[in-house]
Amino acid sequence: MKSFRKELVIHTPTRRAFVNITPEVEKCVRESGIKEGLCLVNAMNITSSVFINDDEPGLHMDFERWLEKLAPEKPYNQYAHNGYEDNADAHLKRTIMGREVVVAVTDGKLDFGTWEQIFYGEFDGKRDKRVLIKIIGE
Amino acid sequence: MKSFRKELVIHTPTRRAFVNITPEVEKCVRESGIKEGLCLVNAMNITSSVFINDDEPGLHMDFERWLEKLAPEKPYNQYAHNGYEDNADAHLKRTIMGREVVVAVTDGKLDFGTWEQIFYGEFDGKRDKRVLIKIIGE
Amino acid sequence: MKSFRKELVIHTPTRRAFVNITPEVEKCVRESGIKEGLCLVNAMNITSSVFINDDEPGLHMDFERWLEKLAPEKPYNQYAHNGYEDNADAHLKRTIMGREVVVAVTDGKLDFGTWEQIFYGEFDGKRDKRVLIKIIGE
């Protein structure tokens, strides 16, 4: 069994953003030399997400509005977590969008449907955050 | 290390439906010959889900109503994604229900609790959609 | 390839609770002797969750209030599932929080970001429930 590990560092200029990290993950699969296996991609911070969906700007606007409706950022004092922090909403938004994805590796490539793309979802940005890529297989 | 891959094709006659795919996944585990490992089951389309819950029709009605409340299908023009499409709600519903499950394989079987069953959740049906089953182990 | 399996039994005195199970999972990784691999931790019951977030009591209060808003326990008769049961809300809450996490194992340890902790989320407690830990790797 082979294994491969890499961290990505992501720093978004805004509090919230979606970043397509598929090319970086594909590069890791190539570097790993693994032909058949599983690829885990997860946020290492608890106010961000890794998820799979469509690379379509309209949909990303819909995600932003929808998440603000389900878990609004303000008023900050609606959340018990926001004593010294202001990011309780980011913990809730990340829960909806998910911490991680597991993707099959087949024949040395991410085994994807036509429109699947891997996104990093930032909900409390403006600072360095980390994503972990771990691949195991043969 | 062994690996196994199979695609299921699912075509539901309605826009939304829940389909129990546990027997198909169990068959794959048997075919794979893998005794100890991990089994990934994921939707290859971004408007459908794979999730684990109870095979109980009342609960499935509750899921349908609840998802419609959290991410209503109509009016279509409430979503920026719905320029040429009408399925933005399906992307959001799938986000709540999840893209994938990872199930342990132990002693050649899906290592399940008493009531765990694997479902395909369709949110934009009436056409062929795909589910990927990937198993690795020994 | 090595594999390791263990079940935890969790019994909370209240209907809903969050329990930090990180030390138990870390113990399993040590016992497994696996240095590089993947660790699956999943609820074996369909009214509970395993998720990763912050070990901060204020945030857990926020989760409790937020989940009650998104999927209220009462009135029980709002749910079709609640014929002989009263736990439909627990199935929905668990869907938001997630069934499972997959964590990388690197150099014999859970490969975590600074604040990542693994929680068991109980939404229909007062009885024995089970969590599965399955680790594969080398």
Side-chain angles (χ1 to χ4, degrees):
Chain A
M1 205 202 73
K2 285 182 192 173
S3 72
F4 177 92
R5 178 193 194 274
K6 190 166 186 181
E7 280 183 26
L8 306 180
V9 177
I10 297 177
H11 188 125
T12 66
T14 50
R15 180 174 170 115
R16 287 192 288 276
F18 297 120
V19 182
N20 189 335
I21 58 171
T22 316
E24 283 81 357
V25 180
E26 283 172 339
K27 203 177 154 212
C28 289
V29 174
R30 284 195 302 272
E31 281 181 32
S32 74
I34 292 171
K35 298 296 176 195
E36 301 294 325
L38 294 178
C39 175
L40 168 70
V41 188
N42 69 264
M44 300 184 79
N45 297 81
I46 51 190
T47 51
S48 24
S49 284
V50 171
F51 65 96
I52 286 177
N53 219 306
D54 198 358
D55 197 355
E56 200 281 296
L59 182 65
H60 296 183
M61 284 176 55
D62 293 329
F63 273 129
E64 161 64 20
R65 282 182 213 154
W66 183 62
L67 291 169
E68 262 298 284
K69 199 174 67 178
L70 293 181
E73 179 186 339
K74 299 174 187 174
Y76 293 124
N77 69 4
Q78 74 189 294
Y79 299 112
H81 180 61
N82 285 346
Y84 299 91
E85 309 248 20
D86 69 0
N87 65 4
D89 70 299
H91 290 271
L92 304 184
K93 287 175 169 111
R94 108 77 168 243
T95 300
I96 295 279
M97 299 305 287
R99 166 189 180 259
E100 81 216 9
V101 296
V102 178
V103 183
V105 175
T106 301
D107 203 15
K109 290 181 183 161
L110 293 172
D111 195 338
F112 264 164
T114 314
W115 301 104
E116 288 191 288
Q117 294 283 301
I118 308 176
F119 287 90
Y120 172 75
E122 179 60 83
F123 305 111
D124 185 30
K126 305 183 189 177
R127 55 196 172 100
D128 282 0
K129 308 281 280 275
R130 290 185 296 155
V131 168
L132 178 65
I133 299 163
K134 182 92 183 187
I135 311 170
I136 70 167
E138 259 178 13
Chain B
M1 204 204 72
K2 285 184 193 173
S3 72
F4 177 92
R5 178 195 194 273
K6 190 166 185 181
E7 280 182 27
L8 306 179
V9 177
I10 297 177
H11 188 125
T12 66
T14 51
R15 181 175 171 112
R16 288 192 287 276
F18 297 119
V19 181
N20 188 335
I21 58 172
T22 316
E24 283 81 358
V25 180
E26 284 172 338
K27 203 179 153 210
C28 288
V29 175
R30 284 194 302 272
E31 281 181 33
S32 74
I34 291 171
K35 297 297 176 195
E36 301 294 325
L38 293 178
C39 175
L40 169 69
V41 188
N42 69 264
M44 300 184 79
N45 297 81
I46 51 189
T47 51
S48 22
S49 284
V50 171
F51 66 95
I52 287 176
N53 219 306
D54 198 359
D55 198 354
E56 200 281 297
L59 181 66
H60 297 183
M61 284 176 55
D62 293 329
F63 273 130
E64 161 64 19
R65 282 182 213 153
W66 182 62
L67 292 169
E68 263 297 285
K69 199 174 66 178
L70 293 181
E73 179 186 339
K74 298 172 186 173
Y76 293 125
N77 68 5
Q78 75 189 293
Y79 299 112
H81 179 62
N82 286 346
Y84 300 91
E85 309 247 21
D86 68 359
N87 65 3
D89 71 298
H91 290 272
L92 305 183
K93 285 174 170 111
R94 109 74 170 247
T95 300
I96 295 277
M97 299 305 287
R99 167 190 180 259
E100 81 216 8
V101 296
V102 178
V103 183
V105 175
T106 301
D107 203 15
K109 289 180 184 162
L110 293 172
D111 195 337
F112 264 163
T114 314
W115 301 104
E116 288 191 288
Q117 294 283 300
I118 307 175
F119 286 90
Y120 172 75
E122 179 60 83
F123 305 112
D124 185 30
K126 305 183 188 177
R127 55 195 172 102
D128 282 1
K129 308 280 280 276
R130 290 185 295 155
V131 169
L132 178 64
I133 299 162
K134 182 92 182 189
I135 312 169
I136 69 168
E138 259 178 13
Chain C
M1 204 203 74
K2 285 184 192 173
S3 72
F4 177 92
R5 178 194 194 275
K6 190 167 185 181
E7 281 182 27
L8 306 180
V9 177
I10 296 177
H11 188 125
T12 66
T14 51
R15 180 175 172 114
R16 288 193 287 276
F18 297 119
V19 181
N20 189 334
I21 58 171
T22 315
E24 283 82 357
V25 179
E26 284 172 338
K27 203 178 154 212
C28 288
V29 174
R30 284 195 301 272
E31 281 182 32
S32 75
I34 291 171
K35 297 296 175 195
E36 300 294 325
L38 294 178
C39 175
L40 168 70
V41 188
N42 69 264
M44 300 185 78
N45 297 81
I46 51 190
T47 51
S48 22
S49 284
V50 171
F51 66 95
I52 286 176
N53 218 306
D54 197 0
D55 198 355
E56 199 282 295
L59 182 65
H60 296 184
M61 283 176 55
D62 292 329
F63 273 130
E64 161 64 20
R65 282 182 213 154
W66 183 62
L67 291 168
E68 262 299 284
K69 199 174 67 179
L70 293 181
E73 178 186 339
K74 299 173 186 173
Y76 293 124
N77 68 5
Q78 76 189 293
Y79 299 112
H81 180 61
N82 285 346
Y84 300 91
E85 309 248 21
D86 68 0
N87 64 4
D89 70 299
H91 291 271
L92 304 184
K93 287 175 169 111
R94 109 76 169 245
T95 300
I96 295 278
M97 299 305 287
R99 166 190 180 259
E100 81 216 8
V101 296
V102 177
V103 183
V105 175
T106 301
D107 204 15
K109 290 181 183 161
L110 294 172
D111 195 337
F112 264 163
T114 313
W115 302 103
E116 288 191 289
Q117 293 283 300
I118 307 176
F119 287 90
Y120 172 75
E122 178 61 83
F123 305 111
D124 185 30
K126 305 183 188 176
R127 55 196 172 102
D128 282 1
K129 308 281 281 276
R130 289 185 296 155
V131 169
L132 178 64
I133 299 163
K134 182 91 182 188
I135 311 170
I136 69 168
E138 257 177 14

